[in-house]
């Protein structure tokens, strides 16, 4: 097996030494993540927002590897000679057999929390229980909390899935339709925002769901020529761009943003049709990214030619 990316242990140790500092005696959560993954980035933002109340230790858990053909595939070996698969750490697979990040593990009980939007809410609740002094990521009012959850899901269905559709699909019309979904999601987010951020004057759930993708939209401009407008539509795009600048400039957010050229090299595998991941596999077969199937879109299934 040829592994394309190591686990970056030295860099991870450096990051861990300055992250998740807390005066509480609780053992740090084990945070299985990946530097490039926008889904995991959502949980990172929540952890950094509440870093004084929720200690954690980052474990880099995904990388790329090339796998030699086994001879059992349902296609010619030359069709997949350049394919790249996600390598997943044994510790991640032990904590979450689906092998998805983010995954949070309580080392004292071996209980795990998965799914990016669920992780944000879990971190916010845990922070409150630990006496966090940072503003909550979800509103205290039950109706407003419900509205935030709905808006977060809408971002996931529009911007997240549109991003992968524009990046991965090969048909030009399908790519354009994906980017149109992205723009629709950004418009809705901006028009619904009620302050410097979606829910007011501090970062919240909906911001954490959108920001990892909003920041990475330069990849669509680089590989597909799709650019978010800088202005127009009655000030919608000026307000959106101001939000993006404000959010990425937060002192605890800026260090979490992946370096542009490094991320472009990573995501090239999706743009060139060489990435074999659950999300990439789902989008290639015509499903939305948020509707990936753990069985149909599993790496092993696609290695065997399952469609």
């Amino acid at each position: 097996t040829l592994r394309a990316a190591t686990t970056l242990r030295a860099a991870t140790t450096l990051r861990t030494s300055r992250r998740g500092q807390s005066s509480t005696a609780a053992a740090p959560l084990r945070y299985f993540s990946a530097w490039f993954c926008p889904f995991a980035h959502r949980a990172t933002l929540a952890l950094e927002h509440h870093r004084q109340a929720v200690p954690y230790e980052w474990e880099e858990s995904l990388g790329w590897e090339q796998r030699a053909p086994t001879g059992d595939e349902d296609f010619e070996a030359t069709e997949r000679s350049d394919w790249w698969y996600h390598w997943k750490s044994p510790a991640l697979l032990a904590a979450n057999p689906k092998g998805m990040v983010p995954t949070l593990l309580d080392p004292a009980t071996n209980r795990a929390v998965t799914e990016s939007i669920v992780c944000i809410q879990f971190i916010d609740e845990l922070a409150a229980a630990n006496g966090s002094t940072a503003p909550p990521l979800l509103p205290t009012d039950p109706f407003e909390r419900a509205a935030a959850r709905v808006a977060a899901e809408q971002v996931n269905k529009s911007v997240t899935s549109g991003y992968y559709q524009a990046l991965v699909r090969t048909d030009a019309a399908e790519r354009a339709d994906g980017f149109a979904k992205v723009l629709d999601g950004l418009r809705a987010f901006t028009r619904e925002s009620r302050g410097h951020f979606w829910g007011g004057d501090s970062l919240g759930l909906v911001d954490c769901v959108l920001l990892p993708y909003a920041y990475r939209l330069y990849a669509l401009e680089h590989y597909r020529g799709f650019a978010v407008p800088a202005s127009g539509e009655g000030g919608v795009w000026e307000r959106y761009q101001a939000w993006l600048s404000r959010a990425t400039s937060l002192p605890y957010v800026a260090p979490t943003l992946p370096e542009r050229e490094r991320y472009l090299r990573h995501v090239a595998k999706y743009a060139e049709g060489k990435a074999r991941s659950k999300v990439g596999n789902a989008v290639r077969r015509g499903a939305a990214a948020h509707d990936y199937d753990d069985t149909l879109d599993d790496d092993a299934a696609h290695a065997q030619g399952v469609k």
Side-chain angles (χ1 to χ4, degrees):
T1 300
L2 300 175
R3 191 161 298 162
T6 63
T7 57
L8 308 175
R9 287 189 179 88
T12 300
T13 301
L14 178 62
R15 283 199 299 266
T16 301
S17 68
R18 67 172 179 83
R19 285 184 173 177
Q21 301 302 313
S22 172
S23 59
T24 68
L29 293 172
R30 293 180 69 182
Y31 175 39
F32 299 100
S33 191
W35 69 266
F36 53 80
C37 179
F39 288 104
H41 195 180
R42 293 168 171 172
T44 303
L45 294 173
L47 286 165
E48 286 294 285
H49 181 82
H50 285 303
R51 61 192 178 279
Q52 294 182 335
V54 182
Y56 71 96
E57 293 181 351
W58 178 300
E59 297 190 27
E60 192 74 15
S61 303
L62 292 183
W64 289 112
E65 65 181 4
Q66 286 183 305
R67 301 173 187 169
T70 66
D72 296 326
E73 292 84 359
D74 188 24
F75 43 73
E76 294 297 324
T78 55
E79 294 181 43
R80 49 89 57 220
S81 60
D82 291 328
W83 290 5
W84 293 87
Y85 296 83
H86 270 154
W87 166 83
K88 301 175 182 182
S89 75
L92 167 63
L93 291 171
N96 178 0
K98 294 181 179 179
M100 304 295 281
V101 296
T103 292
L104 296 165
L105 182 71
D106 176 11
T109 64
N110 280 329
R111 292 183 296 180
V113 178
T114 64
E115 301 296 331
S116 62
I117 297 178
V118 174
C119 284
I120 295 170
Q121 297 176 71
F122 168 77
I123 292 162
D124 201 44
E125 293 170 2
L126 184 60
N130 289 348
S132 177
T133 58
L137 294 169
L138 278 86
T140 56
D141 179 82
F143 288 94
E144 293 184 2
R145 288 171 73 88
R149 290 184 175 114
V150 170
E153 286 296 339
Q154 288 303 314
V155 165
N156 205 42
K157 292 177 180 178
S158 58
V159 179
T160 302
S161 290
Y163 171 84
Y164 289 109
Q165 181 178 334
L167 185 65
V168 174
R169 297 297 292 173
T170 57
D171 180 78
E174 291 181 346
R175 290 175 177 173
D177 179 64
F179 188 62
K181 292 175 184 175
V182 170
L183 295 181
D184 285 344
L186 298 182
R187 288 187 189 97
F189 170 88
T190 303
R191 288 168 177 158
E192 292 173 3
S193 296
R194 294 172 290 171
H196 289 313
F197 298 95
W198 186 87
D201 292 331
S202 62
L203 200 76
L205 170 68
V206 188
D207 305 284
C208 289
V209 171
L210 174 60
L211 183 56
Y213 286 92
Y215 171 74
R216 289 167 172 80
L217 290 178
Y218 59 74
L220 296 187
E221 183 171 8
H222 181 85
Y223 287 110
R224 300 292 180 248
F226 297 139
V228 176
S231 61
E233 298 188 30
V236 166
W237 296 116
E238 290 90 339
R239 294 197 300 277
Y240 164 74
Q241 296 290 355
W243 165 84
L244 181 59
S245 176
R246 189 180 303 118
T248 55
S249 297
L250 288 171
Y252 64 87
V253 170
T256 73
L257 304 175
E259 192 273 323
R260 177 187 172 102
E261 293 304 317
R262 186 184 183 202
Y263 180 72
L264 286 174
R265 289 194 297 272
H266 161 80
V267 84
K269 297 175 179 64
Y270 287 89
E272 296 167 358
K274 297 177 181 179
R276 292 303 184 263
S277 67
K278 288 183 182 179
V279 168
N281 294 339
V283 175
R284 266 187 298 275
R285 68 176 172 85
H290 66 270
D291 282 334
Y292 74 83
D293 184 280
D294 283 311
T295 300
L296 287 177
D297 301 313
D298 184 70
D299 292 353
H302 278 256
Q304 297 301 319
V306 174
K307 303 301 182 185

